[in-house]
Amino acid sequence: MFDISQFSLKGKIAVVTGGGRGIGQAIAFAFAKAGAKVVITSRKAPDLEATAAEIKAFGGEAFPLPAHLGKMDEIKKMVSTVMDKFGRIDILVNNAGASPAMGSVLECNERLWDKLMDINLKGAYFISQAVANIMVKQGGGKIINIASVDGYNPEPGLSIYSISKAGMRMITRAFASELISYNIQVNTIAPGPISTKMMDSHWGHLPLEEAQKVKQTVEKMLPSGRIGNPDEIAGAALYLASAASNYTTGAEIIIDGGLLLGNHLSG
Ligand SMILES: NC(=O)c1ccc[n+]([C@@H]2O[C@H](COP(=O)([O-])OP(=O)(O)OC[C@H]3O[C@@H](n4cnc5c(N)ncnc54)[C@H](OP(=O)(O)O)[C@@H]3O)[C@@H](O)[C@H]2O)c1
């Protein structure tokens, strides 16, 4: 009979990149509620500290660890700091990412390419590599990569972001296939539009009334009629972090309110 305690993360050490806000924060809250000790890491200490304080307020355990995760030296330092403190890593969520306005493929420059690829792809690859080596020695672990619906269909004006997210899906498959014999499961979550600072940046620069209009127009075009919220990603992350997903690897969970079905009427 199904044992609900499979969803418990009690005693697990989890690292959530970009855990100080948005989707990463929601995942960190869920993991902490399920009993994990959660390391949250990104560049900005105040976001991390505020999130850690919220987790402690509901009785969870969280450790803010500032790091620029597009830089190899900071990745190595972040992982070794976690190991010095906890001696193991059971769960890694590669969630940190950026999506600045880019413009046409006719215009994107090398600086933008490097900036995006460093955090969205190179960081995820080498954090996974460092953590996978630890998980191999431990006898297992879980890696969850946050891709995007843009990794399936390119979003006009966001070419480099879309390419990075398609690459993220392949990081999952490459690691999953090589690590399956070490009891390490590697999976992707591909969100659609989710209400976070990243999503709000599409209209955040506009005056309030205009911003609301743009947001409503976007929502009308979505099959679900609304933008999702970060908690709607956290449940899938909890499944993929838990023993309930021990037979799941190389998989992709698309959470997009039906966007990729592509059969909605626009209004
Ligand atoms: N929101 C959506 O609609 C949506 C849809 C599909 C996929 N996603 C993906 O979901 C993930 C989370 O995005 P979000 O929507 O929650 O956006 P967000 O609120 O902007 O969060 C992005 C996170 O990444 C961190 N980050 C960015 N650059 C970093 C760097 N160089 N080093 C370390 N951390 C860095 C940020 O923290 P600091 O600024 O402190 O570094 C922040 O915590 C991203 O991978 C994004 O591509 C989002």
Side-chain angles (χ1 to χ4, degrees):
M1 192 189 291
F2 184 79
D3 178 2
I4 198 78
S5 72
Q6 288 182 89
F7 283 101
S8 169
L9 301 184
K10 208 165 170 27
K12 302 289 184 191
I13 308 299
V15 174
V16 181
T17 73
R21 65 171 194 255
I23 292 172
Q25 183 189 59
I27 292 172
F29 287 159
F31 286 5
K33 286 195 173 176
K37 294 178 182 165
V38 189
V39 178
I40 45 177
T41 178
S42 75
R43 291 165 302 178
K44 296 188 192 86
D47 281 356
L48 299 173
E49 280 157 14
T51 299
E54 273 196 71
I55 289 175
K56 282 175 194 152
F58 64 68
E61 290 189 64
F63 302 87
L65 183 51
H68 187 310
L69 300 171
K71 295 184 176 169
M72 291 299 284
D73 54 337
E74 297 208 25
I75 289 171
K76 281 186 193 145
K77 200 168 143 212
M78 183 277 285
V79 174
S80 73
T81 305
V82 179
M83 287 305 283
D84 288 348
K85 186 156 180 64
F86 297 105
R88 61 184 295 116
I89 300 174
D90 301 293
I91 301 154
L92 166 67
V93 183
N94 286 307
N95 163 79
S99 161
M102 289 169 193
S104 152
V105 289
L106 298 172
E107 292 157 5
C108 283
N109 62 37
E110 186 187 2
R111 194 190 60 79
L112 209 47
W113 175 276
D114 288 344
K115 190 177 167 215
L116 254 286
M117 289 298 177
D118 279 357
I119 180 60
N120 287 14
L121 216 45
K122 186 173 111 180
Y125 184 96
F126 286 103
I127 297 168
S128 298
Q129 183 187 71
V131 171
N133 273 292
I134 292 162
M135 289 174 170
V136 166
K137 290 190 194 118
Q138 286 170 187
K142 304 277 188 183
I143 299 176
I144 301 159
N145 294 320
I146 307 300
S148 167
V149 288
D150 290 357
Y152 297 77
N153 289 331
E155 192 167 342
L158 289 181
S159 60
I160 302 174
Y161 178 75
S162 302
I163 294 163
S164 77
K165 292 301 183 180
M168 187 67 134
R169 295 173 58 205
M170 189 50 76
I171 290 182
T172 291
R173 292 172 61 76
F175 276 70
S177 69
E178 290 194 37
L179 299 178
I180 193 163
S181 55
Y182 297 101
N183 187 31
I184 299 169
Q185 291 83 46
V186 188
N187 293 290
T188 290
I189 296 174
I194 301 292
S195 180
T196 65
K197 189 174 174 187
M198 184 181 283
M199 174 52 52
D200 290 349
S201 68
H202 293 291
W203 44 77
H205 56 288
L206 300 170
L208 192 61
E209 214 169 295
E210 212 178 315
Q212 274 168 349
K213 269 191 197 151
V214 175
K215 190 177 171 196
Q216 279 164 5
T217 307
V218 169
E219 287 183 323
K220 262 194 186 168
M221 285 159 55
L222 299 172
S224 54
R226 69 175 178 90
I227 290 168
N229 71 68
D231 283 344
E232 291 177 298
I233 305 298
L238 177 58
Y239 163 69
L240 292 174
S242 76
S245 66
N246 282 353
Y247 198 57
T248 304
T249 197
E252 299 180 341
I253 302 181
I254 298 166
I255 306 173
D256 68 345
L259 183 63
L260 286 186
L261 292 172
N263 60 356
H264 58 287
L265 298 170
S266 54

